[in-house]
Amino acid sequence: MERYDTKLEDETLFIEWDDEWVEIGSLDALLDLFGGETYEIEYDDAQSKVPWLENSLDDNTLSFDVVETVTDMDFDEEFTEEIVEASLDSEGNQGHSLRTETFVAKMIEIWEAQGAAAEEQALDSGE
């Protein structure tokens, strides 16, 4: 399965697609939409006990650097195609490029789903 990388160049995030780099949006716009340089996922007590969190969450939150995380990720074809098909020239509901807003919304959905997956795993194990 093909994976598509991201890169940050001149304060702009790009994603690889069809042997070229497609602009996702400016770093400022991304950080505005993510709510800052770090992103925090909150877990309840049951969710925080799942093994992949390594039980290091004293306050049941996981905080990570947005730029580092996004630039370290790669994406499948379905995700990448949805991002690339969103217009860079059209404005989304939050005043940024539709492509930028689509990317951020999908990333938040993925990150927040980790909490849901943790909750399901905790429920399945009877915790």
Side-chain angles (χ1 to χ4, degrees):
M1 175 189 335
E2 181 133 11
R3 304 292 294 181
Y4 300 90
D5 287 324
T6 57
K7 72 175 180 177
L8 187 64
E9 185 176 284
D10 297 326
E11 301 294 308
T12 302
L13 186 66
F14 294 87
I15 194 163
E16 184 180 24
W17 184 249
D18 286 340
D19 297 323
E20 64 182 15
W21 291 98
V22 177
E23 182 178 342
I24 293 175
S26 73
L27 184 58
D28 286 342
L30 290 160
L31 294 178
D32 181 48
L33 292 165
F34 280 119
E37 294 180 8
T38 58
Y39 192 84
E40 212 169 77
I41 301 173
E42 292 184 33
Y43 297 90
D44 65 24
D45 288 337
Q47 292 170 323
S48 68
K49 293 178 184 170
V50 296
W52 63 267
L53 286 176
E54 299 176 3
N55 207 13
S56 62
L57 306 174
D58 295 332
D59 62 354
N60 291 351
T61 61
L62 176 64
S63 182
F64 52 90
D65 183 275
V66 169
V67 176
E68 181 180 310
T69 301
V70 167
T71 56
D72 282 348
M73 294 181 76
D74 57 36
F75 301 95
D76 65 19
E77 183 173 355
E78 182 181 341
F79 178 96
T80 305
E81 186 171 26
E82 184 174 343
I83 300 307
V84 170
E85 286 180 353
S87 174
L88 186 64
D89 298 324
S90 297
E91 188 174 294
N93 295 334
Q94 296 177 300
H96 297 286
S97 157
L98 182 59
R99 183 178 298 157
T100 307
E101 289 185 15
T102 301
F103 178 80
V104 170
K106 300 274 299 167
M107 291 307 305
I108 289 173
E109 181 182 318
I110 290 167
W111 293 338
E112 293 297 329
Q114 298 307 306
E119 181 176 17
E120 287 175 21
Q121 189 176 30
L123 290 173
D124 289 345
S125 67
E127 294 179 15

